[in-house]
Amino acid sequence: MHVSGQPAKNSHRSVATALALACLTLSARAEAPPKFADYPVRVHAGKVAKPQLVTPDLRARRENFFAAADDGKIDAAGRYIVVKLPCGSSCVAPTLLDARTGKIIELFTVSGWHEVSVPSSAAPTAA
């Protein structure tokens, strides 16, 4: 009942409208997930920049970064090289080396890395 003693018809309509909109939103989200091919990027084709080893920890692992830079294999977003730094028997600390600038982005530590694989469809393609 509404404050005036009358049934709250407008409230029921509002709730029904909100539920209908929620159902439409959920059905739109049920579409197929996006594909990497739907978002092409221009892959860096120039020389890989010298890694910026700005911390003592990064300098201690210089061989890993210079080897990755020498290899020059772009792994992500058309400009990043994934450098897998060891941190234990089945532990890896992946970092991103920006091939354009040499900046290093530290991410997180992953245990059981050997169980993680990147599907071939995730490989970058030239736009």
Side-chain angles (χ1 to χ4, degrees):
M1 286 275 198
H2 191 266
V3 175
S4 66
Q6 298 295 320
K9 289 181 183 178
N10 287 338
S11 295
H12 292 296
R13 283 188 203 142
S14 297
V15 170
T17 302
L19 285 173
L21 289 173
C23 289
L24 288 173
T25 302
L26 289 175
S27 67
R29 291 179 151 228
E31 296 174 10
K35 296 178 178 76
F36 282 99
D38 295 337
Y39 301 93
V41 296
R42 180 173 287 133
V43 178
H44 178 72
K47 183 178 177 185
V48 174
K50 180 180 175 183
Q52 297 178 14
L53 306 170
V54 297
T55 67
D57 186 48
L58 295 177
R59 285 190 289 276
R61 296 169 177 220
R62 73 178 62 248
E63 294 84 15
N64 298 86
F65 292 107
F66 282 101
D70 287 343
D71 181 40
K73 182 178 177 253
I74 306 296
D75 296 309
R79 67 187 283 180
Y80 296 103
I81 298 170
V82 177
V83 182
K84 301 171 194 168
L85 301 176
C87 57
S89 60
S90 71
C91 174
V92 173
T95 58
L96 298 178
L97 170 60
D98 188 324
R100 294 181 189 167
T101 67
K103 184 176 180 179
I104 296 169
I105 302 167
E106 297 181 79
L107 300 173
F108 44 80
T109 300
V110 179
S111 291
W113 179 265
H114 63 280
E115 298 171 6
V116 178
S117 64
V118 178
S120 61
S121 64
T125 56

